[in-house]
Amino acid sequence: MSTTKLAQPASENILEMRDIRVEFSTGRGRGRRKIVALNDVSLSVPRGTIHGVVGESGSGKSTLARVLTALERSFTGTVVFNGEELPVRRTKEQRRHIQMVFQDPYSSLDPRMTIRQSLAELLRVHRIVESRDVGRRCLDLMGQVQLPARALDSYPVSMSGGQRQRVAIAKALALEPSLLVADEAVSALDVSVQAGIVNLLADLRDELGLSVLFIAHDLAVVRNLCENVAVMYHGNIVEDGDTESLFTEPRDQYTRTLLNSIPRIRY
Amino acid sequence: MSVVSGRQPLLKVEGLCVDVSIQGRDYAALKDVSFTVQRAEAHGLVGESGSGKSLALRSLMGLLPSNARVSGGSAFFNGTDLFANNGRNFRKVRGTGISMVFQEPAVALNPIARVGTQITDGIAQRKGWSRKQAREYAIHMMGLVGIPSPELRVDAYPFQLSGGMRQRVMIAASVACEPELILCDEPTTALDVTVQAQVLALFDGLRAELNAGILYVTHDLAVVSELCSSISVLYAGRLVESGSAAEVLGNPREDYTRALLAATPSIDEPGQRLRSIPGTTPALRDRPADYSFAMRIADHAPDSHSILEEH
Ligand SMILES: Nc1ncnc2c1ncn2[C@@H]1O[C@H](COP(=O)(O)OP(=O)(O)OP(=O)(O)O)[C@@H](O)[C@H]1O
Ligand SMILES: Nc1ncnc2c1ncn2[C@@H]1O[C@H](COP(=O)(O)OP(=O)(O)OP(=O)(O)O)[C@@H](O)[C@H]1O
Ligand SMILES: [Mg+2]
Ligand SMILES: [Mg+2]
């Protein structure tokens, strides 16, 4: 593992989102209507923890991730990161600290570049390390995501889905973020590959102190990985708390419905 | 329905082989795969990434990628070999006979067409519906797959919907014409478990009430156990084990099936590291002709989180 230091502690919570509201309009003519994607949502993530976000499909989870990573800019409310309120238009440095990993690793990898080229470009553009250290840093990153060094000279097409997802995580880590936002980052992977990525996130938390907002539908994975979980329904966070209490004593009706719907192998 | 067709299985695949050409060389992606789907039966096809599940489904729709081809075997649908007659048989069955829910909503949906139109495209034409009738039916179908306020979303474009809503639009589109056989390729990966249960119930209803056959591809054994009565397990292009769901999941004969079961994360034993199967399925080009799961295990000393540690 590399010894790169993450941002110095400035507050107990790495992230505090307060009263985030996002509205969209859909339909046409007289049928035109407003959809409240986030209805004044608040969420805090303690430093160095993995916070799960689960809930109804269409409840606003991806919209929350997009507000956090400044991909969605039409919102009201405040995002406090590391004790500092982030403006809607962020500086390069502010963007660097919050990195996102998507469900589909194809979309975030350039098919014409080897993994080494992609990583080196990021390290140079964001001036993460001196140019003579770029090569060594690329090797460190491969180690962090548990890929062999020779993977650096591969192109994305020749890699499996799980390997590509590790590369996507390596690219996010290259910028030395303090918060990783994973939006269904393991949903498309098979159980075995998924286990590898999930354990990797746990290692990065334990060894680098990385904080993660982990959006997922697989409740078994969430229960095994996350310290805390928020449950979303219809643009609201209906329940938020430590994972074990939420799974053993759910307070909200929707949370109970969700837990009762988990498929099980019945043989 | 004739007496003969009543007795034949809805779909009988025998000795299916699919070759993929990479840089001028052919590699066997599916080798001698056989399975049957009866009317009113849901059959699960499971296996890790790269085992050939999507290629198997695509070969049954005549929609293989341009560098892949069926190199052997037959697939009888209602008694007609889909692979015969130079591919012309596919055109007759696509849509009303066989329909498919694709793995990637991004690829299957047209980004510049309203979702309601995409759901009813085929059926409205066939039934000669007016735009109003088609729109009503689209709203009905969107409700069936659990999309809230469908009347608000029927005129939306795909980018205006969440990932799971797009996946449900695709499901609605593929079952809109009430096909006899539904091929599902990981259709619920983007859905929460409540909506997933609703979609599984919809498939089960089509099966029980309309006698539809379902071929359901996934790596999620829990989902398979909810929907399917029989299962085939694929590994690296070969059939490893098949039988009733109770046999395969409750009393697996093969190491590979046991490994898949052990790697399935458990909701009831929290606080544990997830367990993976050591190694990965090698890429097509790196597989020896006689490649098997035993060779993968022999190549990889069990690591600390692997499923083999407890054996
Ligand atoms: N660009 C847009 N225009 C209009 N509506 C939108 C847009 N983006 C999102 N929405 C709506 O906002 C709501 C929340 O969507 P979001 O993608 O955040 O849901 P989600 O919780 O991530 O769902 P899923 O689990 O299916 O991915 C949905 O009703 C969706 O239709
Ligand atoms: N067009 C293609 N060109 C080259 N190789 C291909 C092509 N299509 C599939 N393959 C290879 O064939 C094998 C089987 O692919 P397939 O997509 O059927 O797997 P799968 O079981 O559906 O996996 P997943 O769970 O990841 O979707 C894989 O090794 C894949 O890389
Ligand atoms: Mg989403
Ligand atoms: Mg596939």
Side-chain angles (χ1 to χ4, degrees):
Chain A
M1 281 286 156
S2 115
T3 52
T4 320
K5 273 196 252 90
L6 298 174
Q8 292 302 311
S11 71
E12 189 190 336
N13 289 329
I14 186 80
L15 175 72
E16 289 174 21
M17 299 180 94
R18 295 190 199 125
D19 303 320
I20 305 292
R21 185 173 191 83
V22 175
E23 296 176 357
F24 295 109
S25 59
T26 63
R28 53 179 165 176
R30 276 186 298 136
R32 197 164 180 81
R33 290 270 283 279
K34 187 175 80 177
I35 285 175
V36 181
L38 291 175
N39 184 19
D40 302 329
V41 162
S42 299
L43 177 79
S44 299
V45 178
R47 187 179 301 280
T49 66
I50 302 184
H51 204 107
V53 180
V54 301
E56 192 200 16
S57 164
S59 60
K61 302 180 298 296
S62 295
T63 306
L64 193 72
R66 292 170 59 83
V67 166
L68 199 50
T69 49
L71 291 169
E72 176 62 64
R73 289 183 180 169
S74 317
F75 66 92
T76 58
T78 50
V79 179
V80 177
F81 181 75
N82 222 357
E84 169 199 12
E85 183 175 334
L86 293 182
V88 175
R89 293 193 173 276
R90 297 184 194 164
T91 64
K92 207 156 129 193
E93 181 64 10
Q94 285 165 334
R95 277 193 311 243
R96 180 176 75 73
H97 276 295
I98 306 180
Q99 288 297 316
M100 179 122 156
V101 182
F102 297 92
Q103 173 171 353
D104 175 12
Y106 294 88
S107 56
S108 52
L109 301 179
D110 185 334
R112 293 158 306 180
M113 286 207 246
T114 64
I115 308 309
R116 185 191 305 279
Q117 287 165 337
S118 297
L119 289 175
E121 184 181 271
L122 275 177
L123 293 171
R124 270 195 290 269
V125 168
H126 288 265
R127 298 175 196 284
I128 305 289
V129 291
E130 303 277 326
S131 38
R132 65 187 145 83
D133 293 329
V134 165
R136 185 147 33 95
R137 188 77 189 106
C138 286
L139 278 177
D140 284 351
L141 285 164
M142 287 292 104
Q144 279 179 4
V145 298
Q146 297 154 17
L147 280 175
R150 66 185 148 79
L152 279 173
D153 297 307
S154 317
Y155 288 90
V157 292
S158 67
M159 309 186 99
S160 73
Q163 289 173 329
R164 274 194 290 258
Q165 201 56 286
R166 285 176 197 264
V167 172
I169 294 174
K171 281 184 68 180
L173 292 179
L175 302 183
E176 297 175 10
S178 345
L179 178 70
L180 199 64
V181 181
D183 190 358
E184 297 195 41
V186 298
S187 305
L189 305 175
D190 71 47
V191 281
S192 179
V193 176
Q194 169 181 283
I197 300 286
V198 164
N199 290 337
L200 170 64
L201 291 176
D203 288 344
L204 293 169
R205 168 195 59 196
D206 299 344
E207 288 163 30
L208 300 183
L210 188 71
S211 313
V212 183
L213 192 72
F214 185 79
I215 300 172
H217 286 303
D218 190 322
L219 296 165
V221 168
V222 166
R223 188 167 186 183
N224 281 283
L225 178 68
C226 303
E227 279 88 353
N228 299 292
V229 193
V231 181
M232 290 195 68
Y233 181 68
H234 239 80
N236 295 291
I237 291 182
V238 293
E239 186 160 0
D240 187 7
D242 83 274
T243 305
E244 268 323 288
S245 326
L246 190 132
F247 274 91
T248 50
E249 300 157 49
R251 281 174 284 116
D252 178 78
Q253 181 53 46
Y254 176 72
T255 309
R256 282 196 286 271
T257 309
L258 201 61
L259 298 184
N260 286 332
S261 309
I262 298 172
R264 284 186 167 77
I265 300 176
R266 299 182 198 283
Y267 297 103
Chain B
M1 193 189 291
S2 74
V3 181
V4 180
S5 77
R7 280 208 210 105
Q8 323 168 313
L10 182 61
L11 176 73
K12 188 171 176 62
V13 175
E14 256 179 342
L16 173 63
C17 298
V18 171
D19 283 356
V20 174
S21 150
I22 304 169
Q23 289 171 350
R25 273 201 59 186
D26 277 355
Y27 298 89
L30 287 173
K31 285 182 232 168
D32 194 20
V33 172
S34 305
F35 55 85
T36 301
V37 183
Q38 305 289 350
R39 290 188 180 72
E41 181 195 27
H43 183 82
L45 190 58
V46 304
E48 280 170 288
S49 183
S51 56
K53 306 181 296 295
S54 295
L55 287 178
L57 287 198
R58 284 175 163 277
S59 70
L60 299 174
M61 284 292 273
L63 294 177
L64 283 172
S66 57
N67 62 335
R69 66 186 175 92
V70 173
S71 58
S74 58
F76 282 87
F77 173 70
N78 271 333
T80 310
D81 187 355
L82 295 170
F83 301 151
N85 205 5
N86 239 332
R88 278 191 291 272
N89 290 353
F90 287 119
R91 242 166 288 158
K92 283 184 232 150
V93 302
R94 254 183 238 148
T96 50
I98 309 180
S99 78
M100 177 156 169
V101 187
F102 290 90
Q103 193 167 4
E104 297 281 322
V107 183
L109 291 178
N110 179 350
I112 57 168
R114 299 183 193 276
V115 295
T117 331
Q118 299 196 51
I119 292 172
T120 51
D121 250 355
I123 189 166
Q125 215 175 22
R126 211 166 307 117
K127 301 217 170 178
W129 284 344
S130 67
R131 274 181 47 186
K132 184 155 174 289
Q133 280 172 308
R135 195 167 177 280
E136 290 297 308
Y137 189 67
I139 291 173
H140 167 73
M141 289 306 300
M142 288 171 80
L144 278 187
V145 292
I147 295 179
S149 320
E151 63 289 349
L152 280 187
R153 294 185 162 99
V154 65
D155 296 320
Y157 291 99
F159 82 93
Q160 295 176 310
L161 300 184
S162 79
M165 287 175 181
R166 282 196 290 268
Q167 196 166 42
R168 282 176 276 169
V169 166
M170 233 173 27
I171 293 169
S174 70
V175 303
C177 330
E178 302 184 339
E180 290 175 80
L181 175 67
I182 309 167
L183 310 176
C184 298
D185 199 352
E186 301 272 15
T188 65
T189 46
L191 304 182
D192 68 75
V193 289
T194 306
V195 171
Q196 173 171 275
Q198 189 175 349
V199 165
L200 293 179
L202 170 71
F203 284 133
D204 199 53
L206 293 170
R207 182 194 65 73
E209 285 151 36
L210 299 178
N211 284 327
I214 297 172
L215 182 57
Y216 197 95
V217 159
T218 181
H219 60 254
D220 189 331
L221 298 182
V223 166
V224 164
S225 84
E226 299 274 343
L227 181 70
C228 300
S229 54
S230 58
I231 296 179
S232 294
V233 184
L234 267 187
Y235 181 67
R238 285 180 202 270
L239 208 59
V240 176
E241 170 163 16
S242 58
S244 74
E247 281 163 16
V248 173
L249 299 178
N251 194 12
R253 278 177 284 125
E254 295 295 322
D255 281 348
Y256 181 63
T257 313
R258 277 194 282 274
L260 270 185
L261 277 163
T264 301
S266 165
I267 187 74
D268 302 312
E269 300 162 36
Q272 297 189 353
R273 280 288 172 126
L274 300 184
R275 289 167 298 180
S276 55
I277 305 173
T280 51
T281 314
L284 273 185
R285 288 198 274 188
D286 304 332
R287 283 177 210 165
D290 59 345
Y291 179 72
S292 70
F293 183 61
M295 293 164 77
R296 163 162 158 196
I297 294 307
D299 279 352
H300 291 271
D303 65 51
S304 55
H305 303 308
S306 85
I307 49 122
L308 295 184
E309 99 200 75
E310 55 196 55
H311 292 302

